[in-house]
Amino acid sequence: MAKPIQLTSHPMANYPLKVLSQLKKTHKFDKLLNLKNFPSANRIAISNNKLRIACTSDIFDNTTKLVDSCPQADILIIAGNISRYSKWIDIVKFRKCLDDLPIKYKILLPGSSDICFNLENLTNEQTKQCERDNIKKELQLLGLKHVSQYLNNVIYLQDMGVEIAGVKFYGSPWVSTNKTAAFYCSRNNIMNKWNHIPRGIDVLITCQPPLGHGDADYIEEHLGDVDLLGTVACRIGPTFHVFGYSREEFGISFNGYTYFINASMCTRSYNPSNDLIVFDVPMPDNASKISPNINYFTGLM
């Protein structure tokens, strides 16, 4: 069996703005200005040979908004940041929200603020913020070991993939710009995480955006990751890449092959002003929505 293709980190990974200025000469960063012109907008009827996907991220406890604005779809993707504080009461509220949603399959990726999914690697401040001891107590009473087990009505993807009706999804929660993120890895080392993502993915889900697509430039920082863009554009080539994290860049861009979707519900000021983005993914000829095969798979090792 051939060894999987692995990329090395870009030598300028720590200088994203310099890399971006060079890439703009050759790489397409075309933003779709009107989401109503997106190929699979809400007004198009759901097809029997395509999966209708609704996606969002960065909801930050705005569960009422999620329930009220969720369109009809086969699958819902939430690309991280379900809560601001990750307390047990927030987790319970989120589970109730998921129960109220009419969509059968819900895919969840933990985000940078979702520290409840990584309780063993918290700062003292984060431990107090999420009331870690209380979360552990509640889990113990329920006979559970991880918060994702409590959310039993979701497909939880943390460095894992799932195939539904022949369409492959993969989720990676890592970010390289916030050392207090629930899943942090430095720009120098994060390619090791991206190299776990297998090829042949139809929909890639990450918390962090790739460089130049749906990201933003803040003071002395840039939220897009250089090596994530290299991984998506040069190795994986998914048809769709869903993410959030950069909450001022809601929308879709296109590089000629992949649609990059920043699905952030909230703005930087936590205003839930953005609705869910909808798109369709063609299913293989032998796949069925009525009795879809659901198979989990791991990343490359």
Side-chain angles (χ1 to χ4, degrees):
M1 181 180 294
K3 186 178 180 180
I5 297 173
Q6 303 281 280
L7 300 181
T8 57
S9 182
H10 194 287
M12 297 288 286
N14 283 313
Y15 304 95
L17 291 180
K18 291 182 180 180
V19 175
L20 184 60
S21 66
Q22 291 297 316
L23 282 177
K24 283 183 176 178
K25 300 175 183 178
T26 58
H27 187 88
K28 291 183 178 181
F29 295 94
D30 298 336
K31 188 163 186 178
L32 304 186
L33 299 180
N34 189 345
L35 292 184
K36 291 182 179 180
N37 293 331
F38 190 53
S40 299
N42 264 327
R43 66 183 186 277
I44 301 175
I46 297 179
S47 170
N48 288 329
N49 60 0
K50 295 179 181 179
L51 286 181
R52 170 64 52 89
I53 314 294
C55 63
T56 188
S57 70
D58 300 84
I59 65 174
F60 291 113
D61 303 305
N62 288 286
T63 53
T64 300
K65 164 77 174 184
L66 178 57
V67 173
D68 290 347
S69 63
C70 190
Q72 287 190 344
D74 299 304
I75 296 174
L76 169 66
I77 294 174
I78 303 176
N81 295 336
I82 63 174
S83 173
R84 292 185 67 176
Y85 302 110
S86 275
K87 294 182 179 181
W88 182 252
I89 56 173
D90 303 321
I91 300 166
V92 173
K93 179 182 177 183
F94 180 67
R95 173 171 159 156
K96 174 62 168 59
C97 162
L98 293 173
D99 290 338
D100 291 340
L101 292 169
I103 298 177
K104 184 175 182 179
Y105 300 107
K106 298 138 189 162
I107 295 175
L108 173 64
L109 177 82
S112 58
S113 73
D114 298 325
I115 55 178
C116 61
F117 295 107
N118 197 7
L119 293 174
E120 303 307 319
N121 297 282
L122 304 182
T123 64
N124 290 335
E125 182 178 347
Q126 288 174 320
T127 298
K128 295 178 182 178
Q129 171 190 308
C130 73
E131 299 174 352
R132 181 174 67 180
D133 290 344
N134 184 51
I135 294 178
K136 287 189 171 184
K137 176 184 175 182
E138 294 290 347
L139 289 176
Q140 186 176 19
L141 289 172
L142 293 168
L144 305 175
K145 294 183 178 181
H146 195 267
V147 169
S148 63
Q149 295 173 302
Y150 176 71
L151 303 174
N152 59 1
N153 51 358
V154 300
I155 296 171
Y156 178 77
L157 297 185
Q158 179 185 322
D159 294 315
M160 284 194 65
V162 65
E163 180 179 340
I164 303 175
V167 176
K168 292 183 179 180
F169 304 81
Y170 188 91
S172 183
W174 301 93
V175 301
S176 60
T177 58
N178 178 5
K179 291 183 178 180
T180 62
F183 298 88
Y184 167 76
C185 187
S186 69
R187 288 192 189 272
N188 288 332
N189 297 310
I190 201 165
M191 182 59 91
N192 294 327
K193 303 297 184 182
W194 305 143
N195 274 333
H196 283 244
I197 305 170
R199 299 177 71 183
I201 301 301
D202 299 294
V203 183
L204 175 64
I205 310 163
T206 62
C207 176
Q208 186 169 13
L211 178 69
H213 290 282
D215 61 349
D217 177 22
Y218 294 126
I219 299 173
E220 298 181 354
E221 185 60 283
H222 198 282
L223 295 185
D225 187 74
V226 175
D227 286 334
L228 181 55
L229 175 62
T231 297
V232 172
C234 301
R235 186 174 70 82
I236 303 174
T239 307
F240 300 94
H241 181 186
V242 179
F243 50 87
Y245 193 53
S246 180
R247 303 198 302 274
E248 293 181 347
E249 297 296 325
F250 173 80
I252 304 173
S253 59
F254 186 57
N255 69 351
Y257 188 85
T258 297
Y259 288 98
F260 297 87
I261 302 175
N262 183 323
S264 299
M265 175 182 289
C266 286
T267 64
R268 197 176 181 188
S269 59
Y270 297 100
N271 178 26
S273 60
N274 298 323
D275 290 329
L276 284 73
I277 292 177
V278 176
F279 60 93
D280 289 346
V281 184
M283 296 159 48
D285 292 339
N286 60 348
S288 169
K289 287 187 183 182
I290 299 175
S291 55
N293 291 322
I294 300 177
N295 302 301
Y296 289 89
F297 57 91
T298 59
L300 299 173
M301 300 300 292

